[in-house]
Amino acid sequence: MKILVATEKPFAKKAVDGIRSIAEEAGHTLALLEKYTDKAQLLEAVADADALIVRSDKVTAEVIAAARNLKIVVRAGAGYDNVDLAAATARGIVVMNTPGQNSNAVAELALAMMIFMSRNRFTPGTGSELQGKTLGIHAYGNVGRLVGRKGKALGMNVVAFDPFITDVAVFAADGVEPVSSVEELYRRSDFLSLHIPATAETRGSIGYDRLMSMPKGATLVNTARKEVIDEEGLARALAEREDLKYVTDIAAAMQAELDERFGKRVFATPKKMGAETAEANVNAGLAAARQIAEFFATGCTRFQVNK
Ligand code: 3PG
């Protein structure tokens, strides 16, 4: 089988080498399309691929239609909002993610962003500390849990909200306090770390009301997806409350305007870098390769997201 790794934002070499070894040891061939700049390159490269490994690369209905032999797509990472699941399912193509594999890198970045913002973006002047502040975690999945544990280690009071976790023992195990409503979470959080996926329900769900309810001097930290933010509402809240801050790993569509209007109170990384560590690349990339090898060898569909 031909496995194509199509990554506009390439994996570290060590990860690519590992993916190649797994593929070839299982009797498959590996093709690489890295740093592509045009959708046409992806459409051409997928034409004869049996399996596809991507990161945030857009696997649209057009890409799926062009991939005539495609049987499996693995998103090497957590969020699979970049894959057209309906188009894949209609063709009987299995779509998987690699949950948890890049979580530590994202969690470390979330904490780093909190320190960066509370230390005046590393410019001269008096900053503040994380210790003793309340850290709210919106969605307690793989990344949220790691952020919670690291926040505890830094002496923060950690509270979390996740409507899908009913077992309070999950929070108790980390010394984290579960709160019963999303309203309470935002009302209490000096730092609010977002870990919700981009879905029909969450798109544009974080905006004016949530921000306005946050304590004085609060910072919203987004290492999740830009789509979950209601950007107009965010801008309105930042304009009305000069104490609020927004830091994101996924630049807003209106980031240039936010930067111009709110200066040092907002910051966006130039390109999403949450999962950009050699360790995360190796973890997620090799997991993707193993999942594909196992799928072809045994039909295993563990981690399938379009069942
Ligand atoms: C994920 O969903 O796993 C992260 O957002 C990482 O995305 P990336 O692989 O494009 O860096």
Side-chain angles (χ1 to χ4, degrees), residues 9 55-56 75-79 102 225 272 275:
K9 191 171 62 180
R55 296 184 64 176
S56 290
R75 191 286 189 237
N102 58 16
R225 289 291 182 273
K272 188 167 70 159

Side-chain angles (χ1 to χ4, degrees), residues 246-274:
Y246 179 61
V247 57
T248 182
D249 189 30
I250 322 93
M254 58 186 288
Q255 192 65 42
E257 184 187 330
L258 294 178
D259 289 344
E260 195 185 318
R261 286 178 66 190
F262 306 114
K264 284 188 158 187
R265 289 195 288 134
V266 297
F267 178 81
T269 53
K271 194 173 176 82
K272 188 167 70 159
M273 58 179 288

Side-chain angles (χ1 to χ4, degrees), residues 5-297:
V5 176
T7 47
E8 180 272 324
K9 191 171 62 180
F11 288 124
K13 183 179 179 305
K14 197 176 166 194
V16 176
D17 291 346
I19 293 169
R20 186 181 301 283
S21 298
I22 292 168
E24 290 178 354
E25 271 166 34
H28 307 301
T29 56
L30 193 81
L32 260 187
L33 175 69
E34 293 182 323
K35 294 186 186 173
Y36 56 93
T37 50
D38 195 316
K39 184 178 66 178
Q41 294 170 272
L42 179 58
L43 294 176
E44 192 187 333
V46 294
D48 60 349
D50 299 282
L52 176 61
I53 296 176
V54 291
R55 296 184 64 176
S56 290
D57 307 79
K58 295 210 180 326
V59 185
T60 59
E62 188 184 8
V63 171
I64 287 167
R68 291 180 298 276
N69 298 340
L70 196 62
K71 296 153 190 75
I72 178 168
V73 178
V74 181
R75 191 286 189 237
Y80 45 88
D81 46 305
N82 53 320
V83 182
D84 188 326
L85 292 189
T89 306
R91 279 265 314 278
I93 295 167
V94 170
V95 181
M96 297 182 186
N97 64 351
T98 64
Q101 299 291 347
N102 58 16
S103 303
N104 189 66
V106 180
E108 286 189 9
L109 185 73
L111 267 300
M113 286 177 142
M114 291 176 213
I115 295 173
F116 180 66
M117 293 306 275
S118 56
R119 292 301 184 95
N120 305 317
R121 300 167 46 155
F122 301 158
T123 59
T126 305
S128 58
E129 301 179 15
L130 301 192
Q131 179 168 261
K133 305 296 188 304
T134 296
L135 165 60
I137 302 191
H138 193 169
Y140 210 60
N142 289 314
V143 183
R145 288 170 209 207
L146 287 165
V147 172
R149 288 173 206 152
K150 293 177 197 301
K152 290 291 291 184
L154 291 171
M156 303 182 85
N157 307 313
V158 184
V159 296
F161 175 75
D162 192 319
F164 301 104
I165 300 178
T166 48
D167 181 4
V168 291
V170 171
F171 303 99
D174 297 333
V176 166
E177 180 193 345
V179 297
S180 52
S181 70
V182 73
E183 287 78 15
E184 183 184 349
L185 183 78
Y186 283 74
R187 212 167 44 236
R188 290 179 58 184
S189 299
D190 298 310
F191 294 89
L192 191 295
S193 198
L194 279 171
H195 301 292
I196 53 177
T199 65
E201 291 74 40
T202 65
R203 269 172 225 274
S205 64
I206 311 299
Y208 181 79
D209 291 345
R210 297 258 178 277
L211 275 137
M212 291 302 282
S213 73
M214 293 178 79
K216 189 168 170 28
T219 302
L220 180 63
V221 182
N222 186 3
T223 55
R225 289 291 182 273
K226 77 172 193 293
E227 289 79 5
V228 303
I229 303 290
D230 163 13
E231 296 186 4
E232 292 295 341
L234 167 71
R236 201 149 60 92
L238 287 167
E240 284 181 31
R241 287 214 12 213
E242 293 192 358
D243 59 303
L244 292 177
K245 295 176 189 164
Y246 179 61
V247 57
T248 182
D249 189 30
I250 322 93
M254 58 186 288
Q255 192 65 42
E257 184 187 330
L258 294 178
D259 289 344
E260 195 185 318
R261 286 178 66 190
F262 306 114
K264 284 188 158 187
R265 289 195 288 134
V266 297
F267 178 81
T269 53
K271 194 173 176 82
K272 188 167 70 159
M273 58 179 288
E276 283 293 72
T277 65
E279 294 90 337
N281 283 185
V282 167
N283 292 343
L286 270 59
R290 284 193 198 100
Q291 287 171 213
I292 288 171
E294 205 178 340
F295 171 76
F296 284 133

